[in-house]
Amino acid sequence: MYDYMKAYAGDWFAYTQVTDRMVRTLEKIGPGGVIIADALDREFRTVHSRRVDPADRTRFIVYGHGDLVRELPLFTEEFADQAWEYLVPAIDETSRDCLDEWLHQAAYIHRTAVRLRQEMNARGFDLNGRTRYSTVAQRRAFTDHYADRAHPRLTVTVKVPYAHPRGALSLVRVYDQGHHATGWPRHISNPLMTEPAAHQVREAVDTYQRRTRA
């Protein structure tokens, strides 16, 4: 699937665009809302991330509510009442111009990571934005962003290495309204480790919620 998308991603969405209405709908959906590039229909669409199967390579998250929460204040600070007029075209241009690179990076994500996304979803965490990719000291990693379905102010990031050499660790971080609350490293090197890893996130978030809102 990747080769197909890699060859045509730049032109495949040439006759569609991310619109103001899509971004406004994203804002209304709230945490868990995402804009996807749908290769089968050749269009962008706003949906809830629970409708996107992590194993489906034909539907790709290009923007999410978590991205909007981070970026809208920056555009508002710079452009004031015209923030939306600049933000929406920026989302549209980035979504099309960067899609080839994002797909190239996503092609290396292993099945363990896909399984982890499914386990996180089963425990009440919704993908809340596009995946971020990074390379440090020639070690590539990607970071998924989640919103807690029960307590949307709480968000979680999971940074996962592409490969799992001996000693490689994933990093889980929990945020409360954007402020770091807790975090820990964990080995998640095969699909059998994904269920206990997601369970640990659920327990940690619930414990934090009880402690801070008691």
Side-chain angles (χ1 to χ4, degrees):
M1 182 61 205
Y2 164 68
D3 288 338
Y4 175 79
M5 286 295 295
K6 180 74 169 72
Y8 295 99
D11 297 326
W12 201 242
F13 296 91
Y15 299 101
T16 186
Q17 65 182 51
V18 175
T19 65
D20 180 87
R21 182 177 180 180
M22 290 179 189
V23 183
R24 298 281 184 180
T25 300
L26 181 69
E27 185 181 40
K28 291 179 181 178
I29 291 175
V34 293
I35 296 174
I36 62 169
D38 190 323
L40 298 182
D41 292 336
R42 300 180 66 174
E43 65 181 18
F44 294 110
R45 183 182 299 115
T46 305
V47 300
H48 197 284
S49 63
R50 288 199 296 275
R51 295 180 57 190
V52 182
D53 182 352
D56 184 355
R57 297 300 182 111
T58 69
R59 306 172 81 200
F60 189 84
I61 296 173
V62 298
Y63 201 76
H65 184 263
D67 303 315
L68 181 63
V69 168
R70 284 189 296 271
E71 295 181 1
L72 181 57
L74 300 177
F75 276 78
T76 301
E77 182 178 351
E78 184 169 358
F79 301 110
D81 292 342
Q82 294 181 300
W84 282 89
E85 296 177 29
Y86 287 90
L87 175 61
V88 174
I91 296 171
D92 174 59
E93 183 176 350
T94 301
S95 296
R96 283 182 284 108
D97 290 352
C98 296
L99 190 55
D100 276 335
E101 176 60 23
W102 293 341
L103 288 167
H104 173 75
Q105 298 282 1
Y108 293 95
I109 292 178
H110 44 79
R111 62 190 181 92
T112 298
V114 174
R115 183 63 181 171
L116 178 61
R117 291 170 178 170
Q118 293 169 333
E119 294 289 351
M120 289 287 288
N121 181 267
R123 282 157 185 79
F125 296 99
D126 296 321
L127 285 168
N128 196 40
R130 72 171 180 84
T131 299
R132 259 53 179 189
Y133 304 96
S134 60
T135 302
V136 178
Q138 298 184 333
R139 292 188 176 182
R140 295 190 302 174
F142 64 92
T143 303
D144 283 333
H145 299 255
Y146 297 89
D148 182 6
R149 205 174 300 153
H151 311 289
R153 77 176 195 288
L154 301 179
T155 56
V156 176
T157 64
V158 183
K159 185 176 183 179
V160 183
Y162 277 98
H164 287 278
R166 173 171 286 184
L169 293 169
S170 296
L171 179 61
V172 180
R173 288 176 173 161
V174 179
Y175 297 87
D176 187 342
Q177 296 181 326
H179 301 286
H180 184 266
T182 187
W184 61 91
R186 184 176 177 110
H187 288 284
I188 315 174
S189 58
N190 64 68
L192 295 177
M193 293 181 173
T194 59
E195 181 177 356
H199 181 71
Q200 182 184 23
V201 178
R202 180 74 272 164
E203 285 194 328
V205 170
D206 289 345
T207 298
Y208 175 83
Q209 164 68 15
R210 290 192 297 269
R211 186 176 69 249
T212 58
R213 295 298 185 270

